Amino acid sequence: MPIATPEVYNEMLDRAKAGKFAYPAINVTSSQTLHAALRGFAEAESDGIVQISTGGAEFLGGQYSKDMVTGAVALAEYASIVAAKYPVNVALHTDHCPKGKLDGYVRPLLAASEERVARGENPLFQSHMWDGSAETLADNLSIAQELLPRAAAAKIILEVEITPTGGEEDGVTHEINDELYTTVDDALRTAEALGLGEQGRYLLAASFGNVHGVYKPGNVVLRPELLKDLQEGVGAKYGKQSPFDFVFHGGSGSSEEEIATALENGVVKMNIDTDTQYAFTRPVAAHMFQNYDGVLKVDGEVGDKKAYDPRAWGKVAEASMAERVRTACDHLRSTGTKLK
């Protein structure tokens, strides 16, 4: 199937919300990791989301120029061709973009989609994330108010992060402390500034103790039940049941019980990066250790071309990452839910 149209993406999110499941949003940095994500979705018979961060786009843009927009556009164009060979719908999303990178990433990509839509085409990406978590909530929402109508006009969904997620993501760092919990007042201020869909659809990355990166059990206290408080607090004021479409950030290492609670409370998208990075790299490390004298020209020998051919270790890396994506689909209850 082709990349999801705006209409299909909206239907995907609506079905997830109604069915209390979520789509894995898999960060990619290359054609190989893209194929791993697509393969995992296809094998799980799940639609899904592929996303690229500012750092991922810079990497994919090449180390000569490190141009984020080039990398993101290249991914979108490549995905539009290869995704058609997979029997699932996949939406394209740009991940974490802080204030200092908006002019070099999201705004140019929005402009490109505006031009495409004006020509009667679909947008380049189906959603973009504005990460204002390092700003005051007032400044965060002010910028969101500028971006939301532009996104809506280009048939794009905006994702906003209104309070910090702990840890580090592409250079944006937050301490692990009590600020990692969104309050009902934060959610009310968001609804007041951005509406509840009438100004344009948005996804809300609320914080309930989430931390990016790797952490051991017990180091972080997740409270996914907090999302219910946010839904009810805002829903009561506006007379709308479950008004928010939530995003689960910093989900690597979360328990199945924590994930299930988040799904019950309106999470429709869960970002997965750290776990898939490890799943991709682990078999590569094994290949290098197990074929040491083949991948290296040891003691003046010539090595083994079949061992150091990037396809040899690339194939096992793709298979391993695809398996982790399938597992994510199982945990998020999206397995077998693809649109027909």
Side-chain angles (χ1 to χ4, degrees), residues 213-274:
V214 183
Y215 56 90
K216 293 182 178 180
N219 286 12
V220 176
V221 180
L222 286 177
R223 293 171 49 202
E225 66 279 2
L226 173 68
L227 299 177
K228 182 179 180 181
D229 298 337
L230 305 183
Q231 297 279 33
E232 291 180 347
V234 173
K237 179 175 180 178
Y238 289 90
K240 186 174 183 179
Q241 186 175 8
S242 296
F244 292 121
D245 299 327
F246 285 126
V247 180
F248 190 155
H249 280 237
S252 295
S254 303
S255 71
E256 291 186 48
E257 181 180 2
E258 290 166 336
I259 293 172
T261 301
L263 297 178
E264 292 296 323
N265 293 321
V267 165
V268 296
K269 172 180 180 279
M270 179 173 171
N271 291 8
I272 301 173
D273 188 15
T274 301

Side-chain angles (χ1 to χ4, degrees), residues 36-272:
L38 295 172
R39 176 176 170 181
F41 290 137
E43 291 177 350
E45 297 188 337
S46 168
D47 299 320
I49 300 169
V50 166
Q51 59 189 25
I52 185 165
S53 66
T54 56
E58 181 183 274
F59 178 80
L60 202 150
Q63 297 308 288
Y64 181 77
S65 63
K66 297 184 178 181
D67 186 80
M68 294 183 291
V69 173
T70 297
V73 171
L75 171 76
E77 296 288 6
Y78 182 76
S80 70
I81 296 173
V82 299
K85 300 298 182 180
Y86 293 84
V88 289
N89 297 285
V90 178
L92 301 179
H93 174 80
T94 61
D95 197 16
H96 292 273
C97 183
K99 183 177 179 179
K101 295 184 178 180
L102 281 173
D103 286 341
Y105 195 53
V106 165
R107 288 191 177 113
L109 292 174
L110 269 175
S113 286
E114 287 167 343
E115 293 175 3
R116 290 168 63 98
V117 170
R119 296 194 300 266
E121 303 171 10
N122 287 320
L124 193 62
F125 284 84
Q126 286 66 59
S127 52
H128 290 300
M129 181 186 177
W130 149 234
D131 182 358
S133 59
E135 314 303 321
T136 66
L137 185 56
D139 288 345
N140 185 339
L141 293 175
S142 177
I143 291 174
Q145 285 177 310
E146 173 241 321
L147 295 172
L148 184 59
R150 284 192 65 185
K155 302 181 180 180
I156 291 169
I157 295 171
L158 185 70
E159 179 181 329
V160 295
E161 183 170 4
I162 56 170
T163 42
T165 295
E168 187 270 337
E169 176 81 6
D170 274 353
V172 179
T173 303
H174 295 295
E175 293 183 6
I176 300 175
N177 55 35
D178 289 341
E179 292 184 5
L180 303 185
Y181 300 94
T182 302
T183 66
V184 172
D185 181 63
D186 296 331
L188 285 167
R189 290 175 63 186
T190 300
E192 181 180 352
L194 305 181
L196 293 174
E198 67 277 5
Q199 299 178 38
R201 188 169 192 171
Y202 61 91
L203 305 174
L204 181 61
S207 305
F208 49 95
N210 323 56
V211 175
H212 290 126
V214 183
Y215 56 90
K216 293 182 178 180
N219 286 12
V220 176
V221 180
L222 286 177
R223 293 171 49 202
E225 66 279 2
L226 173 68
L227 299 177
K228 182 179 180 181
D229 298 337
L230 305 183
Q231 297 279 33
E232 291 180 347
V234 173
K237 179 175 180 178
Y238 289 90
K240 186 174 183 179
Q241 186 175 8
S242 296
F244 292 121
D245 299 327
F246 285 126
V247 180
F248 190 155
H249 280 237
S252 295
S254 303
S255 71
E256 291 186 48
E257 181 180 2
E258 290 166 336
I259 293 172
T261 301
L263 297 178
E264 292 296 323
N265 293 321
V267 165
V268 296
K269 172 180 180 279
M270 179 173 171
N271 291 8
I272 301 173

